[in-house]
Amino acid sequence: GSCQGNSVHRKIYIALNHTAPCVRLLNATHQIGCQSSLSGDTGVIHVVEREEDLEWALSKGPHPPYVVLLDGHLFSREVLMKLKGTSRISGLAVAAASPAPSEGFSPGLKCPNDGFGVYSDTYGPQFAHCNGSEWNPGGSGVSYEDFPFPIFLLQDANETQLIKECFRAHNVPGSPGVPPQFPLCAMQLQSHMHAAASTVTCMRRSSLQSAFSINPEIVCDPLLDYNVWSSLQPINASGRLQPEQQLVLAATRVDSHSFFWNVAPGAEAAVGSFVALLAAAQALHGAPGAQSLPRNVLFVFFQGETFDYIGSSRLVFDMEQEKFPLRLENIGAFLELGQVSLRNNSVLWMHTDPVSRRNESVESQVRNLLAVLRRSGSSSGVSLQEPGVSQPLPPSSFQRFLRSRSIPGVVLSDHRAAFRNRYFQSIYDTAESIGMRYPEGMSPEEQLDFVTDTAEALAEVATLLARALFSLAGGENGTESIRANATTVTRLLYGFLLNSNNSWFQSLIKPDQKGILGPFPQHYVAVSSPTNTTQLLQAVLGNLTGASVNLSREQCQNPGKTPGTLPELYEYWWVQGPLDGNSSSRVPGCVRSGVRLSPALSPAFELRRWDSREFSTWTESRWKDIRARIFLVASRELELLTLALGVLVLLLSLLCTFLINSKASLLFGIPAPPGPSGY
């Protein structure tokens, strides 16, 4: 016969499976983020859709502690500080605002990466600490506060509605002034963090555990990943360039951040910029005569820049320690793409460093750089302007290079002074925030190839950059034929912002990389590497700038055993390839490219200088369980009564067991044991 069952646990609890927690991060001096108690924090749910609704949870409500379900439009520093300042709040669940707040929302700092750029008390002191140039004026800084209770983001509208229905059914007073009756709808949020205090403390604890324990309990991990780099002409990864070999370095950042763990869409903060650089690399590789230019071009995609320039500081450190194929003196010019997706009237701003330009030699080279960019922009549909010689560089990877050497360089951005990005380092820095729109009724595959206005604009930026790099590398004629492919740009934007699990990305990866594809990619640097973004970036760059070669799968995966493959110059990838017609099978192949990875782990951890003020020291706490669930909770009186009855039943059962056991022979007629026998 058939049988069926149901879990008592499932009848009591409703799990919330689509959430993102706020977690604890630490640096050399303090901790930021959120955490719960060891077993999680529980409270009666109170829905706050207007600021006046807060009063019930903060003062009037008779059943504290409360877990507040906050409307995303009210998620601000002012509200969070009110909640932090009372013991009546045990947790916070945030329903993302849709559409995004029109006034903007940025939980980041007003002066990003302050103290880790080039400006200090000894170098451009008038520009230190964003003096006179507040780059992110809308930044509330709540991402860098420490909260003693858990905060979760609700990512599923259906789960948010379920919580509200539970609240209305059980927690809304029947009439004004009359408190709601038990049972009440409650929520439990669990996100206990193992690390505390600072990176110095948690790394010391982890180090002691590793030294004296067979099964060490690590409490925190450094933020780390890999930088992705490639060159126009192949570079021997195990060799060293001669000092007289000059090249042009084109760079951008890859990562972003938000208040919640691993929710970092970073459309304007990162994706638009690295997509433009990818398209520029493809256009430059396809330019006639590019392989014979007098100067080489190095493309670098930095990871971890959000957290005090992890990637760029490590690359500079490796160059100085001769752990990278080139040194700082090999860099003849530096071009960096900052935030470029929100241009106003097709204008890009060329930011330079006013301090290094006081040197006549650097000034001359910077002027040449600016002239080349202007010439390239005039035929690319991009208007280039200078913000003024007295304005410092915006937060950029270039600043870390200037700390070690005066290099002529320019940072291109869509903002003259303050960021145009109103959602910097927030969950709302999405495809919609940079104007990506698709006609209704389009299938995912049609959206993949639909060229949006945003893609057209970024293709112009990529064209400008490719032409400028061609000229800076010594190219004299033919720049008009260099043009970035707008279809490639729109595919990259779709893949890195909306859904990486698309037919084009599927054709670019290795067969064993299917797990890195999925909807709504996130670009947080994390502690496990390489991240999905880094692996995808490596695959895409390799396919855009590499070449298909006629090698078998075995030869492609072991190029060192095949004559003429030059593994010291090239990487070989056996990729899935496109679909074979209308069938589900693919046409795999081997791709050869010069794309490489280099570590993006802060030098502070290499040197074990966990209290460093020179290098990034950010770590992420470890945790055991991240969980959110709702259930009905009884009154304290009923809980105590239930406990008392349970104890009473236990005592009565023990008494009955003792009495029955003592009278067992009488009750059950058990015969007495036999006496001694004689023979």
Side-chain angles (χ1 to χ4, degrees):
S2 63
C3 62
Q4 61 181 17
N6 199 353
S7 167
V8 175
H9 183 276
R10 291 181 182 176
K11 289 186 175 184
I12 299 173
Y13 301 104
I14 298 177
L16 305 175
N17 298 316
H18 300 92
T19 61
C22 159
V23 303
R24 174 168 288 169
L25 299 174
L26 310 98
N27 65 10
T29 55
H30 60 287
Q31 63 185 28
I32 63 172
C34 322
Q35 85 148 354
S36 73
S37 58
L38 186 60
S39 57
D41 291 335
T42 302
V44 174
I45 296 172
H46 183 64
V47 175
V48 175
E49 295 177 329
R50 301 171 304 166
E51 197 160 349
E52 303 85 69
D53 298 336
L54 279 172
E55 191 176 356
W56 180 269
L58 293 175
S59 59
K60 289 184 177 180
H63 305 120
Y66 287 94
V67 171
V68 171
L69 172 56
L70 188 69
D71 185 271
H73 290 92
L74 298 175
F75 189 60
S76 64
R77 182 180 183 87
E78 181 184 0
V79 170
L80 285 175
M81 291 301 106
K82 284 182 181 178
L83 299 177
K84 182 180 178 180
T86 176
S87 60
R88 290 173 57 88
I89 302 300
S90 60
L92 177 64
V94 181
S98 182
S102 58
E103 68 277 10
F105 172 73
S106 174
L109 298 170
K110 294 182 184 295
C111 185
N113 292 352
D114 184 24
F116 290 87
V118 67
Y119 302 114
S120 64
D121 294 337
T122 57
Y123 187 98
Q126 68 272 31
F127 305 126
H129 312 299
C130 295
N131 185 28
S133 53
E134 201 171 73
W135 298 106
N136 185 33
S140 64
V142 292
S143 283
Y144 296 84
E145 292 285 342
D146 185 40
F147 294 94
F149 51 78
I151 303 178
F152 278 59
L153 174 68
L154 301 176
Q155 298 176 292
D156 188 338
N158 293 328
E159 290 186 346
T160 303
Q161 188 60 33
L162 179 66
I163 298 169
K164 289 182 177 180
E165 289 174 0
C166 185
F167 167 78
R168 295 188 189 105
H170 299 278
N171 295 11
V172 176
S175 57
V178 179
Q181 301 299 309
F182 286 97
L184 297 175
C185 190
M187 183 184 295
Q188 183 186 49
L189 302 176
Q190 183 174 359
S191 59
H192 180 68
M193 300 288 125
H194 294 174
S198 67
T199 289
V200 177
T201 302
C202 80
M203 289 299 292
R204 185 175 66 243
R205 289 174 180 170
S206 297
S207 181
L208 289 172
Q209 285 273 348
S210 300
F212 297 105
S213 175
I214 298 175
N215 298 308
E217 185 178 338
I218 307 300
V219 296
C220 68
D221 300 284
L223 295 181
L224 62 94
D225 198 18
Y226 289 94
N227 299 321
V228 181
W229 64 275
S230 178
S231 56
L232 180 61
Q233 300 158 12
I235 292 177
N236 188 337
S238 58
R240 297 288 180 273
L241 292 186
Q242 296 302 313
E244 64 274 8
Q245 291 180 273
Q246 296 281 290
L247 52 74
V248 183
L249 196 153
T252 191
R253 68 172 58 192
V254 175
D255 65 304
S256 186
H257 178 47
S258 82
F259 188 85
F260 300 99
W261 181 75
N262 205 30
V263 183
E268 159 76 344
V271 177
S273 308
F274 73 69
V275 161
L277 187 55
L278 285 169
Q282 181 194 31
L284 187 58
H285 272 79
Q291 294 300 316
S292 57
L293 290 171
R295 279 185 175 184
N296 204 350
V297 178
L298 188 74
F299 301 94
V300 186
F301 299 80
F302 291 117
Q303 267 283 16
E305 296 302 273
T306 302
F307 295 96
D308 300 336
Y309 306 116
I310 294 174
S312 54
S313 62
R314 177 56 186 267
L315 187 64
V316 171
F317 177 80
D318 285 346
M319 287 180 176
E320 292 175 334
Q321 300 296 316
E322 298 191 0
K323 296 179 180 179
F324 194 75
L326 59 133
R327 303 178 182 87
L328 289 171
E329 53 262 35
N330 295 122
I331 303 174
F334 196 110
L335 275 182
E336 181 174 352
L337 281 185
Q339 301 178 59
V340 294
S341 303
L342 296 174
R343 286 185 293 149
N344 184 21
N345 297 325
S346 298
V347 174
L348 274 185
W349 295 91
M350 301 181 293
H351 299 270
T352 57
D353 172 40
V355 179
S356 61
R357 290 183 67 175
R358 295 170 186 166
N359 179 285
E360 290 185 7
S361 174
V362 174
E363 169 67 10
S364 172
Q365 294 175 75
V366 169
R367 286 191 175 278
N368 178 59
L369 258 175
L370 298 174
V372 168
L373 284 167
R374 284 197 181 91
R375 286 197 301 271
S376 303
S378 61
S379 58
S380 307
V382 180
S383 174
L384 289 154
Q385 297 184 23
E386 286 185 74
V389 182
S390 61
Q391 183 172 301
L393 285 167
S396 53
S397 306
F398 182 41
Q399 293 200 30
R400 291 299 304 193
F401 285 79
L402 286 175
R403 284 176 68 125
S404 298
R405 185 180 177 87
S406 291
I407 299 171
V410 175
V411 178
L412 297 174
S413 77
D414 56 21
H415 55 88
R416 182 182 183 276
F419 295 160
R420 292 179 57 80
N421 184 5
R422 294 173 299 148
Y423 306 112
F424 183 69
Q425 292 184 3
S426 87
I427 60 175
Y428 304 115
D429 190 8
T430 59
E432 290 77 15
S433 73
I434 60 172
M436 285 180 63
R437 304 284 187 273
Y438 296 95
E440 291 185 13
M442 271 193 169
S443 67
E445 285 302 306
E446 289 172 335
Q447 290 180 345
L448 175 64
D449 289 321
F450 179 78
V451 179
T452 62
D453 293 341
T454 304
E456 289 278 11
L458 285 174
E460 292 176 352
V461 175
T463 299
L464 154 73
L465 185 61
R467 291 177 179 180
L469 291 172
F470 185 85
S471 298
L472 291 169
E476 297 180 358
N477 299 309
T479 59
E480 293 77 13
S481 64
I482 302 174
R483 185 167 297 277
N485 189 327
T487 302
T488 297
V489 173
T490 207
R491 286 179 167 187
L492 290 169
L493 288 173
Y494 181 87
F496 282 108
L497 286 175
L498 296 177
N499 189 2
S500 60
N501 193 13
N502 60 71
S503 59
W504 189 51
F505 275 22
Q506 289 167 6
S507 69
L508 306 182
I509 62 172
K510 298 177 182 179
D512 60 354
Q513 289 183 309
K514 295 177 183 177
I516 68 175
L517 302 179
F520 303 109
Q522 306 301 328
H523 308 294
Y524 173 60
V525 61
V527 295
S528 57
S529 61
T531 60
N532 293 353
T533 299
T534 299
Q535 294 182 66
L536 278 174
L537 190 60
Q538 183 185 15
V540 169
L541 182 59
N543 280 269
L544 291 179
T545 61
S548 295
V549 290
N550 187 22
L551 294 177
S552 67
R553 181 168 185 166
E554 290 71 26
Q555 291 173 323
C556 190
Q557 293 175 340
N558 298 284
K561 298 180 180 179
T562 305
T565 54
L566 303 175
E568 68 278 5
L569 297 181
Y570 300 104
E571 289 281 334
Y572 290 81
W573 281 51
W574 184 259
V575 299
Q576 292 192 130
L579 291 171
D580 187 4
N582 295 324
S583 68
S584 58
S585 60
R586 295 184 173 275
V587 184
C590 187
V591 173
R592 183 189 72 183
S593 77
V595 179
R596 310 274 182 170
L597 299 180
S598 68
L601 170 66
S602 172
F605 299 100
E606 288 282 306
L607 303 170
R608 296 178 67 86
R609 287 166 45 190
W610 303 322
D611 60 348
S612 173
R613 297 295 192 275
E614 180 183 0
F615 300 114
S616 171
T617 55
W618 285 105
T619 54
E620 179 185 274
S621 173
R622 287 197 179 184
W623 60 81
K624 186 177 182 181
D625 289 316
I626 298 289
R627 183 173 61 188
R629 58 188 184 180
I630 62 173
F631 53 93
L632 295 181
V633 62
S635 66
R636 180 66 63 183
E637 293 78 10
L638 182 57
E639 289 178 342
L640 292 174
L641 178 61
T642 304
L643 177 62
L645 288 174
V647 172
L648 180 61
V649 170
L650 173 64
L651 295 176
L652 287 174
S653 64
L654 291 174
L655 179 61
C656 290
T657 302
F658 173 76
L659 293 174
I660 291 171
N661 185 61
S662 63
K663 303 294 183 181
S665 58
L666 181 62
L667 292 172
F668 303 110
I670 300 174
S677 300
Y679 295 95

